[in-house]
Amino acid sequence: MKFTKSFDAPNPIPAKGISNAVSLMKNGMLYRYGHIDSDINFDGDNSPHANESEVSKLELAFSDYTGHKYVIAVNSCGSAMFIALKAMGVQPNDKVFTNAFTFTAVPSSIVHANAIPVYVECNDQYVIDIEHFEEQIKQNPDVKYFILSHMRGHVAELDKIQALCDRHEIRLIEDCAHGLGKRWNPDDSDHDNFVGHHCEIACYSAQSHKMLNSGEGGFIATNDEQLAAYCILAAGSYEELYKKHLSRPMDDSLFENIKFEVPNFSLRMNNLTAAILRPQIDLIDERIASYKEKHDRLITILSDIDCINIPEPVDAAEHVGDSLQFNLVDFDRPHVDDFVKRCAGKGVKIQIFGTDDNARDFRNWKYSFDEIPDLNNTADIISCACDLRLPMTFTMDDIELLGAIIKEVIDEMINQEPSLLRVSSK
Ligand SMILES: *Cc1c(COP(=O)(O)O)cnc(C)c1O
């Protein structure tokens, strides 16, 4: 058996996104605050905002989807988190809590704001360990900010975290780079409970490996009018350009009162990016359904294999993602490496987070500490967690093949070394 598809295939750009982008390139109006000629009307767009910029219209569509009052499009999720910290008033050398298990862009955004990350351990569900969070709060009573990362779509005990943050006056930002369209309490049919609503500011990514693909791109989403005004100005809106935003607080004084106090960091999104993204908003639910079907099927297949353990999500979190993480129970490092190598030989690309070169291993974030922090649980978890990307291009047949190959590899290993099975107590 051999798998031949790429594990890095991004989501293609829908035809409407391509035609929007081509129209824009023909007229050159790529700057979000550029003059919009009323003659230019993309594909017979008759909406009330037809002549507004693509970025402004995208912000409105995004806020319609997530349910946040205000949305600001920027050039990346890393930039979104940086601006969010500045908007909350983070000062040089302030400390900011964040996950020990996440992507390097998260602590980097904290360092970008001249602040210092304080890491919270992850548990075997790949999310923030609440007890360790409480311990860190006790040991670091001066920390007033928290970027909570829904790494690989694993959502922590949001209600508990929010309650702890409220009690200790810690301001919460959610890193929703992998959280777009993901529901909290999905069985509660009364309303759409998306993640990204337990915090003051939620940040999203449109980098190619995420649900929305524009190569690069990010969003800041908030219900707070003052934070929204700050973020609009900081992203790169000067003079009276804030008036061109469709998804903004309409009270101009919020902007006029602070506009000379807020630096312009030039982190805007451009219209070409927005043109590519806007038609993808309508596809989010479809994409999630497709990911979910494949994700669920692969979990069913892998759950039957000895030595493989797939952690359950926390109660209220939806189990769906464009990737799957699983553990090889009791495998030591050489065996994990052997497994990865054998899978690679059959065309199945699996990565281990805890490796020398991996940007998701906290020990590699040397820019953020003098000494590697003691985070033994996280170190243990990332040393054996296998990460499997499941791009949209995979079919259900591909999922069956993937599962069969992984089973074949485990069987081979157990045949050669039966004691592997004995140590693995599933
Ligand atoms: C990709 C990613 C980011 C950063 O997104 P960019 O848009 O590339 O800056 C942040 N957090 C997580 C968990 C990510 O996977």
Side-chain angles (χ1 to χ4, degrees), residues 41 63 89 92 143 148 170 180 198 204 227 238 284 384 393 410:
N41 192 335
S63 79
V143 184
L148 170 64
I170 295 165
L180 181 61
H198 284 72
Y204 298 83
L227 291 173
Y238 45 89
I284 297 174
C384 70
T393 45
I410 296 277

Side-chain angles (χ1 to χ4, degrees), residues 34 42 70 219 353 406:
F42 302 113
Y70 314 115
F219 296 92
F353 294 115
I406 292 172

Side-chain angles (χ1 to χ4, degrees), residues 121 327 362-363 375-385:
E121 291 259 36
N327 299 322
F362 66 89
R363 291 164 294 203
L375 296 158
N376 297 329
N377 291 345
T378 304
D380 281 352
I381 285 158
I382 61 175
S383 74
C384 70

